[in-house]
Amino acid sequence: RWDGVVGHACSCCTAAWSLGNPGTNHGMVTEKRQGAPACPRQRCLQRSRSGGLDETGMRIGIVGLGHMGGAMAGWLVGTGAAVTGFDLHGPSVAAALEKGVTIAGAVASVAAPVVILSLPQERAVEAVLAALLPALEKGAVVVDTSTLDPLAARRFNALAASFGVDYLDAPVSGGPAGAAAGRLAIMLGGEAAAIERARPVLERMAATILHVG
């Protein structure tokens, strides 16, 4: 049985400094100045949009807590986000718990304004979407970082649209180390409006965000 714990929630700025990386994220801030945000990720909080994404408690779901998904989840918790994750692999769940991720007992329970998928194969994505999409509110965004055939991604996009949910095909590069440091490159396929709604999350995860179509 998996027992969920509530991940800590701290401000983006405090998280960056408490992790021992003052002013180093993305090389955008070199010093802490009185009255100024110490963490460059404050910019994504200031630009947050509707759907529960705000500086007091950004909610993110993640399905797949392996090498990549677990690293992304841990980093996002460190930025102050409230992250709920799901995985079937016990050791991955245990590692995520140690990073402060709240563990869901079912795929549907990760429902959030933005849900990230990090899964090993197309069949897994299909099964997860079947359980997840009915639980999401209209306007939610699924960011699928799994490596998929383009035809499968188009099919999943159409499936999500039938539930009023946006689907972004989002392959990443940078490996687990980049994921654990918020330094991924994300290549996005999907609607520009959906990317903008997910951008506050994407900017926490990535050094490079490209909309490729």
Side-chain angles (χ1 to χ4, degrees), residues 76-157:
L76 289 168
V77 168
T79 69
V83 180
T84 301
F86 177 86
D87 200 291
L88 294 174
H89 187 234
S92 296
V93 170
L97 280 169
E98 290 183 359
K99 295 172 184 175
V101 177
T102 298
I103 300 301
V107 169
S109 297
V110 308
V114 175
V115 178
I116 300 164
L117 308 185
S118 181
L119 299 165
Q121 56 192 1
E122 180 181 326
R123 286 185 304 169
V125 174
E126 188 165 20
V128 164
L129 289 177
L132 176 66
L133 290 174
L136 296 179
E137 294 185 2
K138 293 187 185 304
V141 182
V142 174
V143 179
D144 190 355
T145 68
S146 313
T147 301
L148 298 174
D149 180 274
L151 292 178
R154 292 191 187 101
R155 180 161 53 89
F156 295 148
N157 179 71

Side-chain angles (χ1 to χ4, degrees), residues 24-105:
T24 61
N25 293 328
H26 298 284
M28 295 181 64
V29 177
T30 57
E31 62 179 331
K32 185 177 177 73
R33 296 182 296 277
Q34 185 68 29
C39 176
R41 296 200 184 268
Q42 191 72 12
R43 65 197 170 108
C44 61
L45 300 182
Q46 293 165 346
R47 294 174 56 183
S48 293
R49 294 165 172 80
S50 62
L53 304 182
D54 58 43
E55 62 183 301
T56 60
M58 182 180 287
R59 296 187 298 113
I60 305 167
I62 297 186
V63 181
L65 298 170
H67 293 301
M68 286 297 293
M72 287 187 283
W75 170 261
L76 289 168
V77 168
T79 69
V83 180
T84 301
F86 177 86
D87 200 291
L88 294 174
H89 187 234
S92 296
V93 170
L97 280 169
E98 290 183 359
K99 295 172 184 175
V101 177
T102 298
I103 300 301

